[in-house]
Structures are given as C-alpha cells and as structure tokens.
Amino acid sequence: MLEIIEKTLLTGIGTLALTQKKAEELIDELKERLNLSEEEGKKLLDKMQTVVKENQSKLEEMAQVEVKKACERIGIVTTEEFTKLKKKVEQLEKQLKAQTQE
C-alpha cells in the first residue's frame, strides 16, 4: 500500500519536473514568436516557475492528506500514537513487576 502511495508521489513530482522543462521550451518558443527580449522571457519564466512551485506545494499537501487518510483506513498508527502506546506498556510492565515482587 505504501509503495503505491510512494510511486504516486514520485510520479507527481516527476510530472512537475517535466512540466518545468516544457515551460522552458514554451518560453523559448514564445520569445521567438513574439519577439520577446531575453529579460521579458526571463520574467515570464520566473512567473511560470512561481506558479509551478505553488502547485507543487499544493500537490504535496494533498498527497500528505491522502496518505494520512489511507493510513487511518488501513489502521496504521502514527509515530506519536505508537510512542504513547509504548510508554503505556512500559508503565504497565513496571506496575506488574512491582506487584509480583510484593
């Protein structure tokens, strides 16, 4: 299950990287067709990169939410929950050990 989620995330990130490459190619093409200066092309590329980064952040947030939901559905505990349970078991073991020594 986690492998599928990991592969999905990596695919999304790979798609974003590919999208950026395509954006750069598009900018080059637009510079040629619209006679944009180097500076104008750079500004346009910077704008597009900002949008891509924002979308990447949104995608990462969405992926984290979906992973959390999937883990909850299949019953995987969080690290925090596991730590609490571990401490509780340690306390109970100490209590049991103390009672058996009395």
Side-chain angles (χ1 to χ4, degrees):
M1 177 70 176
L2 291 176
E3 287 181 31
I4 293 170
I5 294 168
E6 182 180 353
K7 287 179 182 178
T8 302
L9 289 173
L10 292 174
T11 300
I13 291 169
T15 301
L16 289 173
L18 181 61
T19 302
Q20 182 168 348
K21 183 178 179 186
K22 289 292 184 183
E24 290 172 359
E25 291 173 2
L26 176 63
I27 295 300
D28 288 341
E29 189 176 325
L30 286 173
K31 280 183 3 186
E32 230 176 84
R33 288 186 180 184
L34 302 175
N35 294 323
L36 295 177
S37 69
E38 190 69 30
E39 185 63 30
E40 291 169 326
K42 184 172 178 1
K43 285 180 183 178
L44 185 56
L45 180 59
D46 288 342
K47 272 187 183 179
M48 290 181 75
Q49 286 175 332
T50 300
V51 170
V52 167
K53 286 178 185 177
E54 289 171 1
N55 288 338
Q56 182 178 6
S57 295
K58 289 177 187 175
L59 177 63
E60 288 172 0
E61 288 173 24
M62 289 171 42
Q64 288 175 353
V65 167
E66 291 304 315
V67 168
K68 185 176 179 181
K69 286 180 185 177
C71 289
E72 288 171 357
R73 280 194 303 269
I74 60 175
I76 296 176
V77 297
T78 65
T79 303
E80 182 180 314
E81 292 170 327
F82 179 78
T83 302
K84 285 180 182 179
L85 289 171
K86 185 177 175 183
K87 286 180 182 180
K88 183 69 173 174
V89 168
E90 289 171 355
Q91 289 173 348
L92 292 171
E93 286 175 340
K94 286 180 185 178
Q95 289 176 359
L96 183 60
K97 190 174 186 177
Q99 289 176 355
T100 57
Q101 291 179 351
E102 292 177 357

